[in-house]
Amino acid sequence: NAGVTQTPKFQVLKTGQSMTLQCAQDMNHNSMYWYRQDPGMGLRLIYYSASEGTTDKGEVPNGYNVSRLNKREFSLRLESAAPSQTSVYFCASSGGGGADEQFFGPGTRLTVL
Amino acid sequence: RKEVEQDPGPFNVPEGATVAFNCTYSNSASQSFFWYRQDCRKEPKLLMSVYSSGNEDGRFTAQLNRASQYISLLIRDSKLSDSATYLCAVLSGTNAGKSTFGDGTTLTVKP
């Protein structure tokens, strides 16, 4: 099992460009999450999907959109990147229904110039 | 006030020391509690879940105090390899599986 995979690992964008971060899990988990982590800070939830077909905003959703493509895949889109979105982005999944520990992907390091 | 707050740290301890971290939470309806370990430039990984009765895994002991709304992590006989950032996570019980994370406490174990 690969667990949670993310692509790309690194990305540099110019202000105003758009991109999509991809995430996939092979653990048959119901719930998936997107977090951002800024230097010296904890994880802040951007969006989450409690189950296939549903998505909800987290703590910091502005400037982002998500798609739960199927049970395995959950993508995060930046429509018009801004320097304030420079961060490390982690995708995570959990079983849901009481199996609440989260499994994280390796992260995407995004720099917006 | 943040929903989940951790000791600010950093903690610098010698090998063999015992160190304890606390994490307080504000939502009294919180149901599940976890400690994660995050190495530099890596993803967080689950260290241990925290049960009402407390639980132990080798040199690590986690405890929950519902009355005072905090969880703790005790590391005995610290090793150099324990150097990392430790994140607590609290699940409120709504919206299946959505946890709130603390900002983390950084531990450096020195020879």
Side-chain angles (χ1 to χ4, degrees), chain B residues 3-105:
Chain B
E3 199 170 329
V4 177
E5 294 196 74
Q6 293 189 238
D7 288 342
F11 286 69
N12 297 300
V13 302
E15 271 188 293
T18 295
V19 61
F21 308 137
N22 285 329
C23 171
T24 59
Y25 59 94
S26 60
N27 187 345
S28 60
S30 297
Q31 296 184 346
S32 301
F33 308 88
F34 308 91
W35 283 103
Y36 288 79
R37 171 190 169 128
Q38 185 175 25
D39 293 306
C40 187
R41 300 181 68 80
K42 297 287 189 180
E43 72 273 23
K45 293 184 178 179
L46 181 70
L47 178 66
M48 56 199 307
S49 301
V50 186
Y51 304 121
S52 296
S53 56
N55 47 305
E56 188 174 311
D57 183 2
R59 297 180 294 106
F60 298 83
T61 300
Q63 292 192 315
L64 167 64
N65 185 317
R66 283 194 183 274
S68 300
Q69 295 184 200
Y70 74 86
I71 61 173
S72 63
L73 178 68
L74 181 76
I75 305 175
R76 292 181 299 277
D77 189 21
S78 299
K79 310 292 185 190
L80 295 176
S81 58
D82 293 334
S83 297
T85 296
Y86 293 84
L87 302 166
C88 65
V90 176
L91 175 69
S92 67
T94 58
N95 293 322
K98 186 168 79 74
S99 293
T100 301
F101 286 80
D103 286 345
T105 299

Side-chain angles (χ1 to χ4, degrees), chain A residues 20-23 32 34 47-49 51-56 64-77 79:
Chain A
T20 299
L21 282 64
Q22 306 286 353
C23 175
M32 298 185 73
W34 276 107
Y47 271 94
Y48 66 102
S49 172
S51 61
E52 186 179 356
T54 68
T55 61
D56 285 286
Y64 305 95
N65 285 301
V66 291
S67 295
R68 184 75 182 265
L69 303 170
N70 47 54
K71 192 171 186 180
R72 290 188 64 248
E73 299 172 286
F74 189 38
S75 63
L76 178 72
R77 182 160 178 85
E79 290 291 352

